[in-house]
PDB file of all heavy atoms in Angstrom:
ATOM      1  N   GLY A 381      93.250  90.008  91.193  1.00  0.00           N
ATOM      2  CA  GLY A 381      92.351  89.003  90.633  1.00  0.00           C
ATOM      3  C   GLY A 381      93.117  87.860  89.991  1.00  0.00           C
ATOM      4  O   GLY A 381      92.743  86.690  90.138  1.00  0.00           O
ATOM      5  N   ALA A 382      94.208  88.189  89.291  1.00  0.00           N
ATOM      6  CA  ALA A 382      95.036  87.141  88.684  1.00  0.00           C
ATOM      7  C   ALA A 382      95.683  86.274  89.752  1.00  0.00           C
ATOM      8  O   ALA A 382      95.804  85.043  89.591  1.00  0.00           O
ATOM      9  CB  ALA A 382      96.101  87.782  87.793  1.00  0.00           C
ATOM     10  N   LEU A 383      96.097  86.897  90.858  1.00  0.00           N
ATOM     11  CA  LEU A 383      96.696  86.133  91.958  1.00  0.00           C
ATOM     12  C   LEU A 383      95.694  85.154  92.554  1.00  0.00           C
ATOM     13  O   LEU A 383      96.039  83.998  92.873  1.00  0.00           O
ATOM     14  CB  LEU A 383      97.205  87.093  93.031  1.00  0.00           C
ATOM     15  CG  LEU A 383      97.892  86.469  94.244  1.00  0.00           C
ATOM     16  CD1 LEU A 383      99.129  85.682  93.827  1.00  0.00           C
ATOM     17  CD2 LEU A 383      98.272  87.557  95.261  1.00  0.00           C
ATOM     18  N   ILE A 384      94.444  85.583  92.697  1.00  0.00           N
ATOM     19  CA  ILE A 384      93.406  84.672  93.189  1.00  0.00           C
ATOM     20  C   ILE A 384      93.231  83.509  92.230  1.00  0.00           C
ATOM     21  O   ILE A 384      93.080  82.341  92.649  1.00  0.00           O
ATOM     22  CB  ILE A 384      92.077  85.424  93.382  1.00  0.00           C
ATOM     23  CG1 ILE A 384      92.196  86.424  94.541  1.00  0.00           C
ATOM     24  CG2 ILE A 384      90.920  84.452  93.631  1.00  0.00           C
ATOM     25  CD1 ILE A 384      90.978  87.292  94.731  1.00  0.00           C
ATOM     26  N   SER A 385      93.245  83.772  90.920  1.00  0.00           N
ATOM     27  CA  SER A 385      93.083  82.708  89.922  1.00  0.00           C
ATOM     28  C   SER A 385      94.232  81.705  89.992  1.00  0.00           C
ATOM     29  O   SER A 385      94.029  80.502  89.805  1.00  0.00           O
ATOM     30  CB  SER A 385      93.015  83.319  88.512  1.00  0.00           C
ATOM     31  OG  SER A 385      91.891  84.160  88.380  1.00  0.00           O
ATOM     32  N   LEU A 386      95.433  82.184  90.274  1.00  0.00           N
ATOM     33  CA  LEU A 386      96.596  81.297  90.337  1.00  0.00           C
ATOM     34  C   LEU A 386      96.661  80.515  91.644  1.00  0.00           C
ATOM     35  O   LEU A 386      97.218  79.407  91.678  1.00  0.00           O
ATOM     36  CB  LEU A 386      97.882  82.114  90.174  1.00  0.00           C
ATOM     37  CG  LEU A 386      98.117  82.736  88.793  1.00  0.00           C
ATOM     38  CD1 LEU A 386      99.327  83.659  88.827  1.00  0.00           C
ATOM     39  CD2 LEU A 386      98.302  81.652  87.745  1.00  0.00           C
ATOM     40  N   THR A 387      96.125  81.094  92.720  1.00  0.00           N
ATOM     41  CA  THR A 387      96.169  80.428  94.030  1.00  0.00           C
ATOM     42  C   THR A 387      94.739  80.200  94.518  1.00  0.00           C
ATOM     43  O   THR A 387      94.040  79.359  94.004  1.00  0.00           O
ATOM     44  CB  THR A 387      96.973  81.285  95.024  1.00  0.00           C
ATOM     45  OG1 THR A 387      96.395  82.608  95.105  1.00  0.00           O
ATOM     46  CG2 THR A 387      98.426  81.411  94.577  1.00  0.00           C
ATOM     47  N   ASP A 388      94.318  80.943  95.507  1.00  0.00           N
ATOM     48  CA  ASP A 388      92.918  81.006  95.932  1.00  0.00           C
ATOM     49  C   ASP A 388      92.744  82.269  96.773  1.00  0.00           C
ATOM     50  O   ASP A 388      93.706  83.005  97.009  1.00  0.00           O
ATOM     51  CB  ASP A 388      92.474  79.746  96.696  1.00  0.00           C
ATOM     52  CG  ASP A 388      93.303  79.490  97.946  1.00  0.00           C
ATOM     53  OD1 ASP A 388      93.800  80.459  98.564  1.00  0.00           O
ATOM     54  OD2 ASP A 388      93.465  78.310  98.311  1.00  0.00           O
ATOM     55  N   VAL A 389      91.528  82.520  97.217  1.00  0.00           N
ATOM     56  CA  VAL A 389      91.253  83.761  97.935  1.00  0.00           C
ATOM     57  C   VAL A 389      92.062  83.852  99.221  1.00  0.00           C
ATOM     58  O   VAL A 389      92.635  84.902  99.551  1.00  0.00           O
ATOM     59  CB  VAL A 389      89.746  83.883  98.249  1.00  0.00           C
ATOM     60  CG1 VAL A 389      89.478  85.128  99.093  1.00  0.00           C
ATOM     61  CG2 VAL A 389      88.930  83.939  96.974  1.00  0.00           C
ATOM     62  N   ALA A 390      92.146  82.741  99.973  1.00  0.00           N
ATOM     63  CA  ALA A 390      92.846  82.764 101.254  1.00  0.00           C
ATOM     64  C   ALA A 390      94.328  83.097 101.074  1.00  0.00           C
ATOM     65  O   ALA A 390      94.886  83.937 101.784  1.00  0.00           O
ATOM     66  CB  ALA A 390      92.688  81.417 101.960  1.00  0.00           C
ATOM     67  N   VAL A 391      94.959  82.444 100.113  1.00  0.00           N
ATOM     68  CA  VAL A 391      96.385  82.667  99.879  1.00  0.00           C
ATOM     69  C   VAL A 391      96.626  84.103  99.393  1.00  0.00           C
ATOM     70  O   VAL A 391      97.541  84.795  99.852  1.00  0.00           O
ATOM     71  CB  VAL A 391      96.936  81.655  98.864  1.00  0.00           C
ATOM     72  CG1 VAL A 391      98.363  82.017  98.456  1.00  0.00           C
ATOM     73  CG2 VAL A 391      96.898  80.253  99.450  1.00  0.00           C
ATOM     74  N   ALA A 392      95.790  84.552  98.459  1.00  0.00           N
ATOM     75  CA  ALA A 392      95.973  85.895  97.907  1.00  0.00           C
ATOM     76  C   ALA A 392      95.804  86.959  98.995  1.00  0.00           C
ATOM     77  O   ALA A 392      96.607  87.906  99.086  1.00  0.00           O
ATOM     78  CB  ALA A 392      94.984  86.134  96.767  1.00  0.00           C
ATOM     79  N   CYS A 393      94.782  86.838  99.833  1.00  0.00           N
ATOM     80  CA  CYS A 393      94.569  87.807 100.907  1.00  0.00           C
ATOM     81  C   CYS A 393      95.710  87.764 101.920  1.00  0.00           C
ATOM     82  O   CYS A 393      96.159  88.808 102.424  1.00  0.00           O
ATOM     83  CB  CYS A 393      93.235  87.542 101.608  1.00  0.00           C
ATOM     84  SG  CYS A 393      91.773  87.973 100.637  1.00  0.00           S
ATOM     85  N   ALA A 394      96.195  86.550 102.211  1.00  0.00           N
ATOM     86  CA  ALA A 394      97.296  86.411 103.161  1.00  0.00           C
ATOM     87  C   ALA A 394      98.563  87.063 102.627  1.00  0.00           C
ATOM     88  O   ALA A 394      99.284  87.764 103.351  1.00  0.00           O
ATOM     89  CB  ALA A 394      97.544  84.940 103.467  1.00  0.00           C
ATOM     90  N   LEU A 395      98.858  86.867 101.355  1.00  0.00           N
ATOM     91  CA  LEU A 395     100.066  87.443 100.764  1.00  0.00           C
ATOM     92  C   LEU A 395     100.003  88.965 100.739  1.00  0.00           C
ATOM     93  O   LEU A 395     100.964  89.650 101.135  1.00  0.00           O
ATOM     94  CB  LEU A 395     100.260  86.899  99.345  1.00  0.00           C
ATOM     95  CG  LEU A 395     100.685  85.433  99.230  1.00  0.00           C
ATOM     96  CD1 LEU A 395     100.697  85.007  97.767  1.00  0.00           C
ATOM     97  CD2 LEU A 395     102.060  85.225  99.848  1.00  0.00           C
ATOM     98  N   LEU A 396      98.867  89.501 100.292  1.00  0.00           N
ATOM     99  CA  LEU A 396      98.768  90.954 100.191  1.00  0.00           C
ATOM    100  C   LEU A 396      98.718  91.592 101.578  1.00  0.00           C
ATOM    101  O   LEU A 396      99.341  92.639 101.825  1.00  0.00           O
ATOM    102  CB  LEU A 396      97.531  91.350  99.378  1.00  0.00           C
ATOM    103  CG  LEU A 396      97.533  92.789  98.836  1.00  0.00           C
ATOM    104  CD1 LEU A 396      98.750  93.013  97.937  1.00  0.00           C
ATOM    105  CD2 LEU A 396      96.261  93.086  98.062  1.00  0.00           C
ATOM    106  N   GLY A 397      97.981  90.977 102.512  1.00  0.00           N
ATOM    107  CA  GLY A 397      97.916  91.505 103.870  1.00  0.00           C
ATOM    108  C   GLY A 397      99.268  91.491 104.557  1.00  0.00           C
ATOM    109  O   GLY A 397      99.633  92.446 105.257  1.00  0.00           O
ATOM    110  N   THR A 398     100.028  90.426 104.349  1.00  0.00           N
ATOM    111  CA  THR A 398     101.365  90.341 104.949  1.00  0.00           C
ATOM    112  C   THR A 398     102.295  91.398 104.361  1.00  0.00           C
ATOM    113  O   THR A 398     103.067  92.049 105.080  1.00  0.00           O
ATOM    114  CB  THR A 398     101.948  88.939 104.726  1.00  0.00           C
ATOM    115  OG1 THR A 398     101.080  87.958 105.314  1.00  0.00           O
ATOM    116  CG2 THR A 398     103.328  88.820 105.349  1.00  0.00           C
ATOM    117  N   ALA A 399     102.229  91.581 103.045  1.00  0.00           N
ATOM    118  CA  ALA A 399     103.055  92.616 102.405  1.00  0.00           C
ATOM    119  C   ALA A 399     102.683  94.000 102.930  1.00  0.00           C
ATOM    120  O   ALA A 399     103.560  94.850 103.183  1.00  0.00           O
ATOM    121  CB  ALA A 399     102.877  92.547 100.892  1.00  0.00           C
ATOM    122  N   PHE A 400     101.395  94.228 103.111  1.00  0.00           N
ATOM    123  CA  PHE A 400     100.913  95.505 103.631  1.00  0.00           C
ATOM    124  C   PHE A 400     101.442  95.737 105.045  1.00  0.00           C
ATOM    125  O   PHE A 400     101.940  96.827 105.367  1.00  0.00           O
ATOM    126  CB  PHE A 400      99.386  95.499 103.596  1.00  0.00           C
ATOM    127  CG  PHE A 400      98.726  96.744 104.123  1.00  0.00           C
ATOM    128  CD1 PHE A 400      99.308  97.986 103.979  1.00  0.00           C
ATOM    129  CD2 PHE A 400      97.489  96.665 104.756  1.00  0.00           C
ATOM    130  CE1 PHE A 400      98.687  99.136 104.463  1.00  0.00           C
ATOM    131  CE2 PHE A 400      96.856  97.795 105.228  1.00  0.00           C
ATOM    132  CZ  PHE A 400      97.464  99.034 105.087  1.00  0.00           C
ATOM    133  N   ALA A 401     101.354  94.709 105.899  1.00  0.00           N
ATOM    134  CA  ALA A 401     101.850  94.843 107.270  1.00  0.00           C
ATOM    135  C   ALA A 401     103.350  95.135 107.279  1.00  0.00           C
ATOM    136  O   ALA A 401     103.830  95.984 108.046  1.00  0.00           O
ATOM    137  CB  ALA A 401     101.552  93.564 108.057  1.00  0.00           C
TER     138      ALA A 401
END
Side-chain angles (χ1 to χ4, degrees):
L383 181 61
I384 292 175
S385 297
L386 292 173
T387 56
D388 59 30
V389 176
V391 171
C393 288
L395 288 174
L396 198 59
T398 301
F400 179 33

